């Protein structure tokens, strides 16, 4: 097969199997797909690394040692630092790209010695006329189909893969939670909700930004306020949608009889959670909305915040000297509400 065909088939396979569209993963798949043809100096990779390909070519037949399962295992071992220093997916792309490339050559006229050093040749079709010929019409059809599969796989992996696509279509809660857990550190996550408000049974359908995941429920926000699914919003259907790239981080804020002197950060959305002791509780006025999550609660001289927007906390604690700690969840840039 042509180098391009091997590259497209392997990247399509990697994208489907690992549900990835990561450029590094696809690049490693391409690299792995070219390694079998290191046994001939006329191949693309053979010309690039001529000394190595020439050495192998003079000692082993084409489509033997470099097209074998032993070669795949050797590549997996040599690539093992990727497993320890990056992750298992990145490591697997190189040997799996090689294996897929070797397997695709089984459908060619010559076949491959997949079980080298055993001399048997693995060929998929007994009739030679039905096998693929390098550069032939049949290979170009395979190339076109593989390219279409690759495009579909890349788009599908962006939704989390086939399982996630089915889960999203059915509105499965577990799929929404999985999407949040996988992508919330690097992207804004939105919840598409179909349901009603628990307080008055009014329709709560709409798109909400997800602040946090608590068990099987989400804490969400839109222009109307902050809500928790299962408590403030009763959902009949909930799906998660991955938004723009963003950073989400958590910081701990400590106070020891200090004034609450924290200013908002431009283009950043911050929510605080925790309990503080205040010196003048009588001056604090909290207006609660029964339809929404209780984001601030005052009992005696202690005020408890629960995903309270920083701007609201600043207003409530203006002029107060406080003791305690808060956990600040920070989203940057500010999501669309």
């Amino acid at each position: 097969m042509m180098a391009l065909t091997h590259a497209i088939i392997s990247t399509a396979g990697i994208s489907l199997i690992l549900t990835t569209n990561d450029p590094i993963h696809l690049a490693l798949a391409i690299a792995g797909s070219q390694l079998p043809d290191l046994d001939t100096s006329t191949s693309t990779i053979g010309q690039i690394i001529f000394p190595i390909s020439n050495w192998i070519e003079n000692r082993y037949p084409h489509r033997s040692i470099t097209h074998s399962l032993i070669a795949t295992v050797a590549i997996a071992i040599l690539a093992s630092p990727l497993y320890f220093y990056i992750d298992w997916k990145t490591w697997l792309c190189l040997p799996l790209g090689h294996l897929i490339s070797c397997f695709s050559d089984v459908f060619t006229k010559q076949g491959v010695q997949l079980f080298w050093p055993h001399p048997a040749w693995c060929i998929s079709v007994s009739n030679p006329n039905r096998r693929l010929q390098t550069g032939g019409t049949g290979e170009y059809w395979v190339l076109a189909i593989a390219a279409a599969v690759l495009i579909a796989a890349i788009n599908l992996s962006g939704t989390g893969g086939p399982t996630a696509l089915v889960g999203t279509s059915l509105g499965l809660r577990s799929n929404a939670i999985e999407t949040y857990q996988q992508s919330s550190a690097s992207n804004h996550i939105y919840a598409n909700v179909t349901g009603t408000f628990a307080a008055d049974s009014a329709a709560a359908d709409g798109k909400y930004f997800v602040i946090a995941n608590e068990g099987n429920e989400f804490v969400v926000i839109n222009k109307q306020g902050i809500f928790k699914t299962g408590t403030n919003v009763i959902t009949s259907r909930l799906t998660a949608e991955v938004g723009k790239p963003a950073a989400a981080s958590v910081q701990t804020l400590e106070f020891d009889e200090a004034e609450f002197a924290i200013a908002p950060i431009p283009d950043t959305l911050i929510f605080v959670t925790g309990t503080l002791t205040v010196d003048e509780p009588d001056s604090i006025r909290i207006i609660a909305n029964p339809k929404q999550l209780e984001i601030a609660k005052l009992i005696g001289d202690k005020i408890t915040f629960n995903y309270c927007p920083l701007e609201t906390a600043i207003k409530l604690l203006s002029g107060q000297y406080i003791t305690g700690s808060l956990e600040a969840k920070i989203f940057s840039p500010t999501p669309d509400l």
Side-chain angles (χ1 to χ4, degrees):
M1 282 188 178
M2 299 182 294
L4 177 61
T5 307
H6 279 306
I8 297 298
I9 290 176
S10 289
T11 49
I14 291 293
S15 185
L16 277 175
I17 295 170
L18 301 183
T19 60
T20 180
N21 57 10
D22 188 313
I24 295 177
H25 293 168
L26 300 184
L28 287 171
I30 292 172
S33 74
Q34 303 305 301
L35 292 177
D37 285 334
L38 196 57
D39 61 357
T40 171
S41 59
T42 59
S43 66
T44 301
I45 192 170
Q47 295 176 45
I48 295 173
I49 318 177
F50 179 77
I52 297 176
S53 65
N54 185 58
W55 187 89
I56 297 174
E57 187 176 39
N58 290 333
R59 289 164 175 78
Y60 301 97
H62 181 41
R63 295 188 178 179
S64 59
I65 184 172
T66 60
H67 287 70
S68 67
L69 295 177
I70 288 179
T72 300
V73 172
I75 291 168
I77 293 172
L78 292 172
S80 59
L82 296 175
Y83 177 89
F84 294 105
Y85 292 104
I86 304 180
D87 57 43
W88 69 270
K89 274 191 177 182
T90 304
W91 162 74
L92 188 58
C93 288
L94 198 62
L96 188 55
H98 173 270
L99 180 61
I100 293 173
S101 182
C102 293
F103 182 74
S104 64
D105 273 338
V106 169
F107 296 88
T108 61
K109 286 185 176 294
Q110 183 181 351
V112 297
Q113 287 187 339
L114 194 62
F115 300 101
W116 185 93
H118 193 284
W121 288 85
C122 296
I123 304 172
S124 64
V125 182
S126 59
N127 186 344
N129 295 324
R130 294 184 179 179
R131 300 174 197 161
L132 296 175
Q133 182 176 356
T134 301
T137 303
E139 180 173 356
Y140 280 104
W141 274 107
V142 170
L143 176 60
I145 294 170
V149 171
L150 174 60
I151 293 171
I154 289 175
N155 284 281
L156 192 59
S157 65
T159 65
T163 303
L165 182 62
V166 172
T168 299
S169 300
L170 297 176
L172 299 180
R173 180 68 59 91
S174 58
N175 180 73
I177 294 171
E178 183 178 356
T179 299
Y180 176 83
Q181 293 174 343
Q182 289 179 348
S183 304
S184 60
S186 57
N187 294 82
H188 288 147
I189 305 296
Y190 294 89
N192 295 303
V193 172
T194 301
T196 58
F197 290 110
D200 57 10
S201 299
D205 301 355
K207 184 175 180 179
Y208 299 75
F209 175 69
V210 179
I211 301 172
N213 165 226
E214 293 188 347
N216 291 325
E217 305 298 341
F218 289 114
V219 178
V220 298
I221 182 174
N222 64 5
K223 291 181 179 180
Q224 282 68 50
I226 299 174
F227 310 90
K228 184 175 181 180
T229 62
T231 301
N232 310 112
V233 176
I234 308 303
T235 61
S236 58
R237 176 183 172 86
L238 189 153
T239 62
E241 175 185 328
V242 179
K244 297 178 181 178
S249 61
V250 176
Q251 294 185 12
T252 300
L253 309 175
E254 300 283 350
F255 305 92
D256 186 9
E257 295 185 358
E259 190 173 3
F260 191 74
I262 298 176
I265 302 173
D267 198 26
T268 300
L269 190 60
I270 303 176
F271 300 91
V272 295
T273 299
T275 300
L276 300 172
T277 301
V278 298
D279 64 339
E280 296 183 17
D282 293 339
S283 65
I284 296 177
R285 294 290 182 269
I286 298 174
I287 301 175
N289 186 329
K291 290 182 64 172
Q292 300 179 21
L293 180 69
E294 189 174 30
I295 59 174
K297 184 177 182 180
L298 182 67
I299 300 178
D301 62 351
K302 298 186 182 299
I303 185 169
T304 299
F305 294 112
N306 188 23
Y307 300 107
C308 179
L310 178 61
E311 292 79 4
T312 302
I314 291 173
K315 292 179 181 178
L316 291 173
L317 298 175
S318 176
Q320 298 281 343
Y321 282 83
I322 56 178
T323 300
S325 64
L326 293 175
E327 182 179 88
K329 189 159 190 180
I330 306 167
F331 297 95
S332 179
T334 301
D336 297 326
L337 299 180

